[in-house]
Amino acid sequence: MKVPFLDLSLQHCALRQAALAALAATYDANRFCLGRDVEDFERAFAANLGYPAVLGMNSGTSPLHVACLLASFGPGDEVITSPFTFISSAWGISYVRATPVFADIEEGGFNLDPDRLAAAITPRTRGIVVVHLFGQPARMDEILAVARRHGLFVIEDCAQAVGARYWDTPVGLLGDAGTFSFYPTKNLGACGEAGAFVARDPALLTRARYVRVHGSDRRYQHNIIGGNFRMDGFQGALLNVKLPHLAAWTARRQAIAARYREEIRLSDTRLPVPEAHGASVFHQFTLLHPRRDQLREHLARLEVGTDLIYPRPLHLQPCYAPLGHGPGSFPRAERAAETCLSLPIFPELTDAQVEHVIRSVNAF
Ligand SMILES: *Cc1c(COP(=O)(O)O)cnc(C)c1O
């Protein structure tokens, strides 16, 4: 039985008629940059997931950039983030010419370790980019305690955690700014590039709204330095078609994860552990195994697709070589990169496919 790592065509086939009708309406109304479809999406996303307001943007990288601009990070400032994440988590810091400082992940998890975070603070530290990796909310109480002690601006990278809550609070509202990605492979995926920005503080949200459109509150008046971070109208229209399905898709991801957790029996394997502070929305189901490459080959022979997310931590990426880190700088992130293996977990997987994945892993 074939189990692809991810197959977007199933979801897009099922929604084809509704999606194409929505796109046609947007086309006919010429609503291409922001406009009513994006506004409808912003309102629905906010109401659905518990945000005071949401700003649609043109990727998940853009709101990270915007958040770093609004935090006024700049040259000489240090901003701490995880070395085990997608590269974008660090891009905003680099775009404003601040310095990304890495702090290792927790033992037994994939998120920033609050103790390592505290140890990475220097007099130059200005902020933190926390990532809720794979959909699992990070230890925000401990992280925010460190941030408060040092007056730091906290950005939550929620690209993989749409719909997740930390206790009762939707992710993105715990720190100063929260960012989302609707890249097609994310839990809520557009059919192109899209993302979003959230914040608790209405004044910050207003400034983000201006930055999104060239620093403008009206045409040809530019009060602050901004850019073009607008969400595309077609993406807003598609996201409006998809958003009503998000809760069911998340529940399905969680049900598949529960089966993996209960039924995978393979010695020396570390499976994701449920956290009392907030359930994962399982953007990925990632296990650690000391013979990861052999396990991956074994699964490939049984037609089970897998992926390595992420095979190289940020501090060992060529672009960050000037920071001077080497192997051994962040041993937990490096061990995760060397032993991680992500299993198929998209909502359209059938029970038979889930069973095949479990049986195949257990047969290793
Ligand atoms: C996908 C992702 C981003 C960037 O989103 P894009 O829409 O691809 O720009 C940022 N951070 C994390 C953790 C991501 O997974």
Side-chain angles (χ1 to χ4, degrees), residues 58-62 64 85-86 88-89 131 133 157 159-160 180-183 186 193-195 283 310:
N58 54 355
S59 76
T61 305
S62 289
L64 287 161
T85 175
F86 184 58
S88 275
S89 303
V131 187
L133 200 74
D157 181 344
Q160 303 185 2
F180 291 91
S181 168
F182 306 121
Y183 185 73
K186 297 285 154 80
E193 306 284 350
H283 175 59
Y310 297 93

Short mmCIF file of all heavy atoms in Angstrom, two decimals, residues 58-62 64 85-86 88-89 131 133 157 159-160 180-183 186 193-195 283 310, ligand 1:
data_model
loop_
_atom_site.label_atom_id
_atom_site.label_comp_id
_atom_site.label_asym_id
_atom_site.label_seq_id
_atom_site.Cartn_x
_atom_site.Cartn_y
_atom_site.Cartn_z
N ASN A 58 1.50 38.51 2.72
CA ASN A 58 1.82 37.79 1.48
C ASN A 58 2.74 36.59 1.67
O ASN A 58 3.19 36.01 0.69
CB ASN A 58 2.41 38.77 0.46
CG ASN A 58 3.60 39.53 1.02
OD1 ASN A 58 3.95 39.40 2.20
ND2 ASN A 58 4.23 40.33 0.20
N SER A 59 3.04 36.21 2.90
CA SER A 59 3.76 34.97 3.19
C SER A 59 3.84 34.84 4.70
O SER A 59 3.40 35.73 5.44
CB SER A 59 5.18 34.97 2.60
OG SER A 59 6.04 35.79 3.37
N GLY A 60 4.45 33.75 5.17
CA GLY A 60 4.70 33.61 6.60
C GLY A 60 6.01 34.26 7.01
O GLY A 60 6.26 34.50 8.19
N THR A 61 6.86 34.53 6.03
CA THR A 61 8.13 35.20 6.30
C THR A 61 7.89 36.70 6.52
O THR A 61 8.52 37.32 7.38
CB THR A 61 9.10 34.98 5.12
OG1 THR A 61 9.22 33.56 4.91
CG2 THR A 61 10.47 35.55 5.39
N SER A 62 6.95 37.27 5.74
CA SER A 62 6.68 38.71 5.84
C SER A 62 6.27 39.17 7.24
O SER A 62 6.82 40.15 7.74
CB SER A 62 5.62 39.13 4.81
OG SER A 62 6.17 39.08 3.52
N LEU A 64 7.03 37.95 10.04
CA LEU A 64 8.22 37.89 10.90
C LEU A 64 9.10 39.12 10.64
O LEU A 64 9.62 39.73 11.58
CB LEU A 64 9.01 36.60 10.63
CG LEU A 64 8.35 35.32 11.17
CD1 LEU A 64 8.92 34.08 10.49
CD2 LEU A 64 8.54 35.22 12.68
N THR A 85 14.53 24.82 13.52
CA THR A 85 13.30 25.37 12.96
C THR A 85 13.53 25.60 11.48
O THR A 85 14.62 25.36 10.96
CB THR A 85 12.91 26.69 13.67
OG1 THR A 85 11.76 27.26 13.02
CG2 THR A 85 14.04 27.72 13.61
N PHE A 86 12.48 26.07 10.78
CA PHE A 86 12.66 26.50 9.40
C PHE A 86 13.45 27.82 9.40
O PHE A 86 13.30 28.63 10.31
CB PHE A 86 11.30 26.67 8.72
CG PHE A 86 11.40 27.02 7.27
CD1 PHE A 86 12.08 26.18 6.39
CD2 PHE A 86 10.84 28.19 6.78
CE1 PHE A 86 12.19 26.51 5.05
CE2 PHE A 86 10.94 28.51 5.44
CZ PHE A 86 11.63 27.68 4.57
N SER A 88 13.17 30.60 8.06
CA SER A 88 12.42 31.86 8.14
C SER A 88 12.33 32.42 9.55
O SER A 88 12.22 33.63 9.73
CB SER A 88 10.98 31.67 7.66
OG SER A 88 10.91 31.79 6.29
N SER A 89 12.35 31.54 10.55
CA SER A 89 12.24 32.01 11.93
C SER A 89 13.34 33.02 12.23
O SER A 89 13.16 33.91 13.06
CB SER A 89 12.34 30.84 12.92
OG SER A 89 11.35 29.88 12.64
N VAL A 131 9.29 29.65 18.47
CA VAL A 131 8.62 28.87 17.42
C VAL A 131 7.81 27.75 18.09
O VAL A 131 8.32 27.06 18.96
CB VAL A 131 9.66 28.24 16.47
CG1 VAL A 131 8.96 27.59 15.28
CG2 VAL A 131 10.66 29.28 16.01
N LEU A 133 7.04 24.69 17.24
CA LEU A 133 7.46 23.81 16.15
C LEU A 133 6.58 22.56 16.03
O LEU A 133 6.23 21.94 17.04
CB LEU A 133 8.92 23.40 16.31
CG LEU A 133 9.55 22.90 15.01
CD1 LEU A 133 9.81 24.06 14.05
CD2 LEU A 133 10.83 22.13 15.27
N ASP A 157 6.38 32.61 16.33
CA ASP A 157 6.28 32.07 14.98
C ASP A 157 5.30 30.89 15.03
O ASP A 157 5.65 29.79 15.47
CB ASP A 157 7.66 31.64 14.49
CG ASP A 157 7.63 31.09 13.06
OD1 ASP A 157 6.53 30.76 12.57
OD2 ASP A 157 8.71 30.97 12.45
N ALA A 159 3.72 29.60 12.43
CA ALA A 159 3.55 29.09 11.06
C ALA A 159 3.04 27.65 11.03
O ALA A 159 2.29 27.27 10.14
CB ALA A 159 4.86 29.19 10.30
N GLN A 160 3.43 26.86 12.03
CA GLN A 160 3.05 25.44 12.04
C GLN A 160 1.96 25.15 13.07
O GLN A 160 1.60 24.00 13.27
CB GLN A 160 4.29 24.59 12.32
CG GLN A 160 5.41 24.84 11.31
CD GLN A 160 6.61 23.93 11.50
OE1 GLN A 160 6.62 23.07 12.38
NE2 GLN A 160 7.62 24.11 10.66
N PHE A 180 1.76 33.87 11.16
CA PHE A 180 1.26 32.62 10.56
C PHE A 180 1.72 32.51 9.11
O PHE A 180 1.94 33.52 8.45
CB PHE A 180 -0.28 32.60 10.57
CG PHE A 180 -0.85 32.48 11.95
CD1 PHE A 180 -1.16 33.62 12.68
CD2 PHE A 180 -1.05 31.24 12.54
CE1 PHE A 180 -1.67 33.52 13.97
CE2 PHE A 180 -1.56 31.12 13.82
CZ PHE A 180 -1.87 32.27 14.54
N SER A 181 1.82 31.29 8.64
CA SER A 181 2.07 31.02 7.23
C SER A 181 0.91 30.18 6.68
O SER A 181 0.45 29.26 7.35
CB SER A 181 3.37 30.23 7.05
OG SER A 181 3.45 29.73 5.72
N PHE A 182 0.47 30.54 5.49
CA PHE A 182 -0.52 29.70 4.79
C PHE A 182 0.09 29.13 3.52
O PHE A 182 -0.59 28.94 2.50
CB PHE A 182 -1.79 30.52 4.48
CG PHE A 182 -2.37 31.19 5.71
CD1 PHE A 182 -2.50 32.57 5.76
CD2 PHE A 182 -2.74 30.45 6.81
CE1 PHE A 182 -3.01 33.20 6.90
CE2 PHE A 182 -3.25 31.06 7.96
CZ PHE A 182 -3.38 32.44 7.99
N TYR A 183 1.39 28.88 3.57
CA TYR A 183 2.07 28.16 2.49
C TYR A 183 1.28 26.87 2.23
O TYR A 183 0.72 26.29 3.17
CB TYR A 183 3.52 27.86 2.94
CG TYR A 183 4.36 27.23 1.87
CD1 TYR A 183 4.82 28.00 0.79
CD2 TYR A 183 4.69 25.88 1.91
CE1 TYR A 183 5.58 27.42 -0.21
CE2 TYR A 183 5.45 25.29 0.91
CZ TYR A 183 5.89 26.06 -0.15
OH TYR A 183 6.63 25.48 -1.15
N LYS A 186 1.13 23.95 4.73
CA LYS A 186 0.83 24.17 6.15
C LYS A 186 -0.55 23.61 6.50
O LYS A 186 -1.33 23.26 5.61
CB LYS A 186 0.93 25.67 6.48
CG LYS A 186 2.34 26.23 6.26
CD LYS A 186 3.31 25.81 7.36
CE LYS A 186 4.75 25.79 6.89
NZ LYS A 186 5.45 27.06 6.85
N GLU A 193 1.24 31.89 -2.11
CA GLU A 193 1.90 32.43 -0.91
C GLU A 193 0.92 33.24 -0.08
O GLU A 193 0.17 34.07 -0.62
CB GLU A 193 3.06 33.35 -1.33
CG GLU A 193 4.07 32.71 -2.27
CD GLU A 193 5.01 31.75 -1.57
OE1 GLU A 193 5.01 31.72 -0.32
OE2 GLU A 193 5.74 31.04 -2.28
N ALA A 194 0.91 33.03 1.23
CA ALA A 194 0.09 33.85 2.12
C ALA A 194 0.52 33.65 3.56
O ALA A 194 1.14 32.64 3.91
CB ALA A 194 -1.40 33.49 1.97
N GLY A 195 0.20 34.62 4.39
CA GLY A 195 0.52 34.54 5.82
C GLY A 195 -0.32 35.55 6.58
O GLY A 195 -1.21 36.20 6.00
N HIS A 283 1.33 19.66 12.86
CA HIS A 283 1.78 19.97 11.50
C HIS A 283 2.71 18.84 11.03
O HIS A 283 2.65 18.43 9.87
CB HIS A 283 2.49 21.31 11.47
CG HIS A 283 3.06 21.63 10.13
ND1 HIS A 283 2.27 21.70 9.00
CD2 HIS A 283 4.33 21.83 9.71
CE1 HIS A 283 3.05 21.95 7.96
NE2 HIS A 283 4.29 22.03 8.36
N TYR A 310 14.11 18.87 10.60
CA TYR A 310 14.98 19.49 9.62
C TYR A 310 16.34 18.80 9.67
O TYR A 310 16.84 18.57 10.77
CB TYR A 310 15.14 20.98 9.94
CG TYR A 310 13.80 21.69 9.83
CD1 TYR A 310 12.99 21.85 10.93
CD2 TYR A 310 13.36 22.14 8.59
CE1 TYR A 310 11.75 22.47 10.82
CE2 TYR A 310 12.13 22.78 8.47
CZ TYR A 310 11.33 22.93 9.59
OH TYR A 310 10.10 23.52 9.47
C1 LIG B 1 6.64 27.84 6.78
C2 LIG B 1 7.34 28.52 7.88
C3 LIG B 1 7.67 29.88 7.86
C4 LIG B 1 7.61 30.74 6.63
O1 LIG B 1 6.47 30.76 5.95
P1 LIG B 1 6.43 31.10 4.37
O2 LIG B 1 4.98 31.26 4.14
O3 LIG B 1 7.04 29.95 3.65
O4 LIG B 1 7.19 32.36 4.16
C5 LIG B 1 8.21 30.45 9.00
N1 LIG B 1 8.45 29.74 10.09
C6 LIG B 1 8.17 28.42 10.16
C7 LIG B 1 8.44 27.69 11.43
C8 LIG B 1 7.62 27.77 9.06
O5 LIG B 1 7.37 26.45 9.14
#
